[in-house]
Amino acid sequence: MEILIYDKAMQLEGLSVATIGVFDGVHRGHRFVFEQLADKARERKLISTVITFDRHPLSVVCPDKCPPLLTTLDERLQLLCATGVQRCVVLPFTEEMAGLAACDFMLLMRQQLGVKLLLTGYDNRFGHDRSAGFSDYVRYGQEMDMDVETLEPCNITEEDCPVSSSMVRRLLADGALDKVHHCLGRDYSLEGQVVSGEQIGMKIGYPTANLSPDTHKLLPKAGVYAVWATIGVDGPTLPAMMNIGHCPTFGGRPTTLEVHLFDYNGNLYGQTVRVRFVGRLRDEQRFADASALKAQLAKDQSDALQLLRADAEAQETVCGK
């Protein structure tokens, strides 16, 4: 996939079929949209193009209402690359861009990005004049030689509702990993740099890597999880368990992300670790003392290994087909 960062001098060659959105999470509903995009591009012999933003627009126009993100920009682009879309244009969402009327925004897409056909949901809105709707977009398009068509409704549901980014956020906040996996079509993941901690885990025989993730990234519900942990870009992927919470047994702390990698003794400080959430083991809880916590961690490790073995076997089955 060709990835381009928009600037005012941009003048793309070739006409395209495009759709526009944040596409946070690049979930199964989004991929259903991209399938329609690819079909239309083949049908018309045009370039399939996704137009997205470098940040959530609400972070500029209404920061208090901006949701935590399921994917960073880098994660979004990696996931978009796997969809088969030919081109992705990333728009830096500034106050100037936020001030564009829908007609002006469409003119930008037509004149600079070469959009010949725009696919959009019937109730989608863009541009600062939110009163404009689909019929207006069709009329604007006719004036600038751009076709505007509706996307088919999402046919992938969870709890009898179409899959959406807001739904995935709600499920993740509830710790419902199975439902999150259904909506995303994959396990949820996050990464962070390993920073120094208080070494409490080391003292009780369960050393942890303390992760500092992107501050805009949504964390799953507090608790203990079975995860796969990948060290660096090309490093090993190892079985692990992760605690998200406040260390209530030791007096409470700001939210921490602590990963215990099974049978690993290396120094991880300063490295990046990516974790893939496989299963939720339990809620975080306060124990009477360190010994009680250590006993529970032994059980957690056993439970985590069982889940991870099953996951590895399932992955081998899928790959072997």
Side-chain angles (χ1 to χ4, degrees):
M1 182 176 74
E2 181 183 26
I3 299 173
L4 301 167
I5 308 300
Y6 171 81
D7 63 61
K8 291 182 178 180
M10 179 172 281
Q11 196 72 49
L12 298 185
E13 295 183 1
L15 298 178
S16 67
V17 180
T19 189
I20 183 167
V22 179
F23 305 117
D24 185 28
V26 193
H27 53 63
R28 293 177 65 200
H30 294 144
R31 294 201 291 279
F32 180 64
V33 167
F34 303 148
E35 289 172 7
Q36 296 177 61
L37 181 71
D39 289 343
K40 288 289 186 180
R42 282 191 295 268
E43 182 182 303
R44 298 204 179 194
K45 295 181 172 55
L46 300 175
I47 301 166
S48 58
T49 300
V50 168
I51 302 171
T52 190
F53 305 103
D54 66 340
R55 69 202 72 191
H56 199 294
L58 283 175
S59 69
V60 175
V61 299
C62 192
D64 291 344
K65 293 185 179 180
C66 184
L69 298 177
L70 299 169
T71 44
T72 64
L73 177 59
D74 285 346
E75 289 171 333
R76 254 191 297 152
L77 294 177
Q78 289 176 17
L79 291 166
L80 285 170
C81 282
T83 65
V85 170
Q86 293 169 284
R87 175 184 287 172
C88 178
V89 180
V90 180
L91 304 179
F93 197 85
T94 61
E95 290 187 4
E96 180 181 359
M97 183 163 288
L100 288 177
C103 184
D104 294 329
F105 190 72
M106 289 178 63
L107 193 61
L108 178 157
M109 288 191 282
R110 180 68 185 93
Q111 293 183 341
Q112 294 187 256
L113 307 185
V115 177
K116 174 60 178 171
L117 170 60
L118 178 64
L119 299 180
T120 182
Y122 189 84
D123 58 351
N124 281 11
R125 297 288 187 272
F126 51 82
H128 79 79
D129 48 341
R130 307 296 281 183
S131 59
F134 181 75
S135 60
D136 298 295
Y137 302 154
V138 171
R139 178 166 50 84
Y140 299 153
Q142 289 171 342
E143 295 170 358
M144 60 185 74
D145 190 30
M146 177 198 288
D147 298 326
V148 181
E149 296 182 6
T150 56
L151 290 158
E152 292 180 29
C154 176
N155 62 358
I156 300 160
T157 63
E158 176 61 42
E159 298 179 344
D160 299 321
C161 296
V163 169
S164 66
S165 298
S166 58
M167 170 183 284
V168 179
R169 292 186 192 105
R170 184 173 68 252
L171 293 172
L172 196 62
D174 290 340
L177 288 189
D178 288 346
K179 292 182 178 181
V180 169
H181 182 102
H182 170 76
C183 293
L184 293 179
R186 64 181 187 280
D187 292 326
Y188 188 68
S189 64
L190 61 79
E191 69 177 30
Q193 187 176 45
V194 179
V195 298
S196 59
E198 298 184 30
Q199 299 187 335
I200 294 173
M202 178 76 75
K203 295 173 184 176
I204 61 174
Y206 287 88
T208 60
N210 293 267
L211 302 189
S212 177
D214 186 296
T215 55
H216 300 292
K217 181 87 172 181
L218 178 62
L219 301 180
K221 181 180 180 180
V224 181
Y225 294 85
V227 303
W228 291 107
T230 302
I231 302 170
V233 177
D234 300 315
T237 296
L238 303 171
M241 60 185 182
M242 180 175 189
N243 184 79
I244 300 175
H246 305 279
C247 302
T249 302
F250 298 96
R253 304 286 190 280
T255 300
T256 58
L257 286 71
E258 300 174 284
V259 185
H260 173 65
L261 288 76
F262 304 145
D263 300 320
Y264 182 81
N265 298 313
N267 184 357
L268 293 173
Y269 287 120
Q271 296 196 60
T272 296
V273 172
R274 185 173 191 82
V275 295
R276 175 167 68 85
F277 293 85
V278 174
R280 191 168 193 276
L281 301 177
R282 61 176 175 86
D283 289 338
E284 185 182 43
Q285 61 191 93
R286 184 179 184 279
F287 294 91
D289 52 37
S291 295
L293 171 58
K294 184 175 181 179
Q296 179 61 53
L297 291 176
K299 182 180 185 306
D300 293 339
Q301 178 166 334
S302 176
D303 292 343
L305 283 170
Q306 184 175 350
L307 284 173
L308 294 169
R309 288 192 193 102
D311 181 70
E313 290 172 1
Q315 296 297 323
E316 288 178 7
T317 300
V318 170
C319 292
K321 287 184 177 179

